[in-house]
Amino acid sequence: MSANGTITPSSLSIKDLHWQIDWNKDACTLCGQCTAVCPVKALELGVFRKRHVDVPMGLSGKVENKFSLFYGIRQKTEPKHACIGCAMCSQVCPNDAILPRRNDEADKQRYHIDQGGQPLKRGGRRKSEGAGILDRIKFTRISMLTDPALDAGRHEFDIKTLLGRVLPPKEQIQRQMKGEWVPPVREIYPLVIGGMSFGALSPTMWEGLQMGVAYLNEELGMPVRICTGEGGCPPRLLRSEFLKYVILQVASGYFGWDEIIHAIPEMKVDPCAIEIKYGQGAKPGDGGLLMWHKVNKLIAAIRGVPTGVSLPSPPTHQTQYSIEESVAKMIQSMSMAWNFRVPVYPKISASSTSLAVLNNLTRNPYAAGLAIDGEDGGTGAAYNVSMNHMGHPIASSLRDCYKTLVEIGMENELPLSAGGGIGKNGNLAANAASLIMLGASMVQTGKYVMQAAAGCVGSEADRCNVCNLGICPKGITSQDPRLYRRLDPEHVAQRVVDMYVSFDTELKKIIAPLGRSTSLPIGMSDALGIDDRDAAERLDIKYMV
């Protein structure tokens, strides 16, 4: 409604909003906590006028309208202030007087979210309904009398995988005897915390993740690794012993890499690996984006940029114009920076061109593997049109790549890493095991870690998902001290440890009936089945009903 009382084209009514706020007037004490904590300012204190009809007792009396005033909570209807359903208001309300409710009948808000001519950007994941392909895959090979059965609770398992180019045994022995260079290989845990940058995540969240990974390695003997994402990392981490648990990512914006390069002579240990990001599943063909809301003095200093400016990365590395040139320049230059002691591999978006990239990597002796990110990958900031309408499912892209490696006899030499929607419906171990049996040597997950370790309230139903705006109500993806102080890094670290111990138990329950204990069932697709004939044919697994 405009100042003169006319209705503007972008006005919405409460019934048109995806999320509506139910407020109990009788229970509310007008403490104002809900309005203070709302990240999008969807609530305001207002004055209401209530009409009372005074009906006389007799037939000759006149009906009168009487009005009373009261104070209460009003929900705003402007699209920029539309409720996101995070439920922070209900969490802080001392009287349970308020609760957001999803309105599935709303169909007008989508036409008004482009106010100012700007397409909607959001964090989180694409909107998806029902179970995906990974959640529908079943493990059908169960050892009973045919193979030695293992006890998942008592048997000892060695659940590790190799990151790096693994030479055939004969060739490796010959090189070692001649004193020639042998590609570096790391023995790691098959579940990697995917790239979430110091900038996209809050300082407390990042610190909690690092503490959890350190505890898993030092105390529990689980060689878990974490990827930094784009944007570098704090200088003290680069010069600490814990760098060996970190995969450093370099993307097309090269943010933070001045700090990393300058720290190389002072590094006490080498990083686990270098990941060169060419693409990500949430926005294929586009670079990363850290919006200006998050670029404070600390982030600006680490990335070497001014404060308060958005940091978009180019869609490609600007000095490379072909696959061959990218491999030759980036992989070999990154290998040279650490004197060929550190595995270097690229990360790409899953697409119809994934096989072309893989074929070139097989011919380069310095490529340590290939990471593929499927369409369901999360992100800090992406256009809705990219998240919801672009990309390629991870299962089929991974399967194509693995079968190609099998055809040329390199399935045991060049490891594949898969990511994008792993555990998005809570089935982390089952999804990971499915991808491993489809050909992945390791899997990466990010959004699941945020939800499990820090209590992220974002969902596939477009709840919250304002990771890009720096107003995360939980303090997970915000650089505002008033918000990230809500997050206890020690609690995050404890939850990371709990998550990995639980995942380890479930993964053992899945692979124990396969008779595997000393190696992962990589590519063991005869153990998989699905109730979709087309999917079974596409993935080359069993069809079952």
Side-chain angles (χ1 to χ4, degrees):
M1 184 76 70
S2 64
N4 60 9
T6 61
I7 298 178
T8 60
S10 61
S11 294
L12 294 172
S13 65
I14 293 295
K15 67 179 181 180
D16 293 327
L17 299 178
H18 290 311
W19 290 93
Q20 298 177 7
I21 299 172
D22 292 337
W23 171 65
N24 187 335
K25 171 182 175 296
D26 297 327
C28 180
T29 57
L30 300 178
C31 65
Q33 292 190 55
C34 57
T35 59
V37 78
C38 180
V40 293
K41 308 300 180 186
L43 300 171
E44 62 181 354
L45 294 173
V47 180
F48 297 83
R49 190 172 76 153
K50 185 175 182 180
R51 183 170 71 100
H52 305 275
V53 180
D54 188 7
V55 180
M57 297 295 294
L59 297 178
S60 61
K62 183 179 180 182
V63 177
E64 296 182 355
N65 290 328
K66 295 184 179 180
F67 298 90
S68 63
L69 296 178
F70 67 92
Y71 298 94
I73 303 298
R74 179 186 291 117
Q75 181 179 357
K76 298 179 183 178
T77 57
E78 297 93 336
K80 65 179 180 180
H81 294 302
C83 174
I84 57 176
C86 66
M88 290 301 294
C89 54
S90 61
Q91 293 186 37
V92 300
C93 180
N95 305 301
D96 295 328
I98 193 168
L99 182 69
R101 170 176 52 84
R102 182 167 179 82
N103 178 23
D104 292 326
E105 297 181 359
D107 61 352
K108 299 296 184 184
Q109 186 176 340
R110 73 188 72 176
Y111 301 110
H112 297 268
I113 58 179
D114 56 357
Q115 284 189 342
Q118 293 295 322
L120 180 66
K121 302 185 191 76
R122 65 180 176 89
R125 285 212 188 101
R126 68 181 56 213
K127 303 173 186 176
S128 59
E129 298 180 359
I133 288 294
L134 292 180
D135 291 321
R136 294 166 60 187
I137 291 178
K138 303 295 183 182
F139 307 101
T140 60
R141 183 183 175 91
I142 309 298
S143 298
M144 282 182 272
L145 298 178
T146 55
D147 302 301
L150 302 179
D151 189 326
R154 301 177 184 178
H155 201 93
E156 291 188 4
F157 290 80
D158 186 16
I159 302 180
K160 296 184 180 69
T161 191
L162 298 178
L163 171 57
R165 200 178 194 98
V166 183
L167 297 178
K170 184 177 180 180
E171 182 180 349
Q172 180 154 340
I173 293 173
Q174 289 177 347
R175 288 196 182 191
Q176 290 174 341
M177 292 179 63
K178 295 178 180 179
E180 297 178 353
W181 175 75
V182 176
V185 177
R186 304 283 194 262
E187 189 178 54
I188 68 172
Y189 196 76
L191 179 64
V192 176
I193 299 179
M196 296 180 286
S197 70
F198 186 78
L201 298 183
S202 66
T204 48
M205 180 65 183
W206 226 70
E207 182 183 0
L209 291 178
Q210 298 291 336
M211 290 168 57
V213 169
Y215 186 91
L216 287 166
N217 280 272
E218 301 289 332
E219 299 295 331
L220 300 186
M222 296 176 64
V224 175
R225 299 296 180 260
I226 180 172
C227 182
T228 61
E230 180 180 12
C233 55
R236 65 176 181 177
L237 176 61
L238 295 172
R239 295 165 174 81
S240 75
E241 296 284 349
F242 299 112
L243 185 62
K244 59 189 174 185
Y245 308 140
V246 175
I247 298 173
L248 296 177
Q249 185 186 96
V250 53
S252 55
Y254 299 98
F255 295 120
W257 266 83
D258 281 346
E259 186 69 42
I260 292 175
I261 297 301
H262 291 155
I264 289 179
E266 302 173 19
M267 289 181 179
K268 298 178 181 178
V269 294
D270 291 331
C272 172
I274 306 297
E275 180 179 272
I276 306 171
K277 191 190 83 171
Y278 291 91
Q280 58 192 98
K283 41 186 174 182
D286 202 358
L289 171 62
L290 187 69
M291 297 180 70
W292 67 269
H293 314 279
K294 298 186 178 185
V295 186
N296 59 16
K297 291 183 178 180
L298 175 61
I299 304 304
I302 291 176
R303 298 197 175 201
V305 297
T307 58
V309 296
S310 293
L311 302 178
S313 298
T316 61
H317 291 257
Q318 297 296 286
T319 59
Q320 300 144 33
Y321 301 96
S322 68
I323 300 174
E324 292 80 8
E325 191 175 23
S326 298
V327 170
K329 283 186 176 180
M330 286 301 298
I331 293 182
Q332 290 176 224
S333 61
M334 287 295 112
S335 298
M336 291 172 62
W338 277 271
N339 199 22
F340 297 92
R341 299 189 307 267
V342 177
V344 181
Y345 65 92
K347 174 184 177 181
I348 62 171
S349 306
S351 73
S352 58
T353 62
S354 298
L355 280 177
V357 176
L358 178 67
N359 287 330
N360 277 270
L361 292 177
T362 59
R363 298 194 296 268
N364 187 288
Y366 302 108
L370 175 64
I372 310 171
D373 200 15
E375 64 176 355
D376 279 327
T379 180
Y383 287 105
N384 261 18
V385 68
S386 294
M387 293 194 70
N388 294 335
H389 302 286
M390 296 179 67
H392 193 291
I394 183 57
S396 56
S397 182
L398 168 69
R399 191 64 175 151
D400 289 343
C401 290
Y402 182 75
K403 290 174 70 175
T404 298
L405 291 177
V406 172
E407 289 176 5
I408 61 178
M410 296 184 66
E411 71 274 17
N412 294 321
E413 181 173 340
L414 201 68
L416 298 174
S417 175
I422 313 301
K424 74 173 186 178
N425 291 321
N427 306 314
L428 182 62
N431 291 171
S434 297
L435 288 174
I436 289 171
M437 295 182 197
L438 288 174
S441 295
M442 65 203 79
V443 297
Q444 294 192 20
T445 185
K447 182 72 178 290
Y448 184 94
V449 177
M450 293 168 58
Q451 291 172 321
C456 167
V457 296
S459 75
E460 309 304 323
D462 203 17
R463 177 186 179 189
C464 194
N465 291 342
V466 290
C467 320
N468 55 316
L469 299 179
I471 56 175
C472 172
K474 288 286 190 175
I476 303 169
T477 62
S478 173
Q479 301 301 328
D480 187 340
R482 295 171 298 179
L483 296 176
Y484 67 66
R485 284 172 183 164
R486 298 174 181 174
L487 200 62
D488 183 356
E490 293 190 0
H491 175 75
V492 172
Q494 179 63 59
R495 289 294 296 120
V496 169
V497 173
D498 292 343
M499 183 196 83
Y500 265 90
V501 172
S502 174
F503 172 87
D504 192 72
T505 301
E506 289 191 350
L507 188 61
K508 290 175 182 177
K509 294 293 289 186
I510 294 172
I511 66 175
L514 304 179
R516 295 293 188 95
S517 62
T518 59
S519 63
L520 288 175
I522 300 173
M524 195 173 176
S525 57
D526 64 330
L528 301 178
I530 193 169
D531 60 354
D532 186 309
R533 189 183 298 275
D534 293 331
E537 182 179 352
R538 180 70 178 84
L539 299 176
D540 194 17
I541 60 178
K542 293 178 182 177
Y543 167 65
M544 59 182 194
V545 289

